[in-house]
Amino acid sequence: MNNNKEKQIMRKTNMRIFPLYKKLGCDYLFFYTIDFLFLTQIKSISVSDVVLKSTFYAFFSIILQIPANIIVEFIGRKNSIILGNILNCIYMVIIILSKNLSDLIIAEFFSALAFSIKNVAEPSLLNESIPPSKYKSQIFSKINAKGLSGYYILDSISKIIAGYLFVINGYLPVVCSMIILIIVSFLSIKFIEPIKKTKNNNRFTYKEQIKNVRDGFLYILKSERLKALILCGSLIEALIWILSTYHVSLQEELQLSSIIIGIIAAIGSLISGYATKGQNKFHEKFKNKTLFVISMLLSISTIMAGVFGINAQKHVSLLAMIIITFFIYNFCRGMYTAIIDKYLRNFANQRIDTKIFAAKNLFRNVFRMIAGLIASFLIDKTTTVYCMMIIGIIFTIIFLLIEQYMKSRVGLKPEEYSNIERKYDEQKEIN
């Protein structure tokens, strides 16, 4: 009886706190967009080095993903989230003190470890805090989307403020970001661990944890549905990763002020929040074509931004079109972020969910690293407009090929999937 009461308290507490935590701790508030200006203008680090730093983040995320998964299994989901937020605080301190690419590489190590841990522990904690039922997927999606949409609203406000603060003192937005991270660290302490460790759990050796992770990854490699989702998702995130820097670089090349860039970014974040809230309707409309539609909107708008950018300084209408492509990017970013974890957690229980999220993070960072190297190489050779055209064309071709691969693997009815695909399906136990 007490155990049931403890579970109810845990579920109510975690489901109540998670949206607020997600709003504040999803990513670095007051930081993005201004980080590019801070590093290039205040710290005098080259554009190619700033783009390259994201490649090191991806590289570290790859090598740290399995250790991060083991950390989550050993110390639990709650403690892992707390650790991840503390590491983010260390990252921001290093950014404030950074002087060159070497300092940025060290900073990216801490950020990569932080998010490698958080990206496994956070969705898993929420997933295990929702009671099993046929509506679990919808509840997960609703709570996660509530937090994400709130984050995008706060992000939009913080970007406007950051733009003005940057004019006063370039360090102020970064200090504000640091303060938010400290608040998030304290907030994460209020979570309750959903998976209690038993004596048998505590006797697990490092080798046994490695074996569990390996078995989980082998299952994922056997699942055609998960392979297709992770492959498509990794490519979408690779493009989003490139565009997060390219769009700001393009706006800077067009000589927009930090205040204007901040306002544009703020509107973009509001659009991301709107997209997050409307993800269920978007999914209902496009069904198993949802990821393909998102990917094509991203890649084609990238090509358009490059084409419009050639003469944008001479024509205000072309500049307006570039800003619209930036808003399309933000819409796709918000929609994708809200949808992908919902898709991945279908047919998953506590034995496999952390492995699925770890696999997603591992493969997406492989693609991020490759994309980052290409993006850094291109930006060092030519202007941003031509980089965006090249990247947009490449990804459009890739997404068309991926859509053919996914047709027979994603979006089927539950009974149409094999027993392997539904090996860890909670719904089978409920039914």
Side-chain angles (χ1 to χ4, degrees), residues 372-385:
L373 286 171
I374 295 170
S376 179
F377 171 80
L378 288 174
I379 203 75
D380 195 42
K381 300 297 180 184
T382 186
T383 58
T384 307
V385 290

Side-chain angles (χ1 to χ4, degrees), residues 338-356:
I339 281 175
I340 190 63
D341 281 347
K342 171 186 173 181
Y343 287 176
L344 289 172
R345 70 144 305 280
N346 286 340
F347 312 142
N349 60 20
Q350 69 181 52
R351 289 179 292 162
I352 196 65
D353 59 357
T354 57
K355 283 81 172 179
I356 292 174

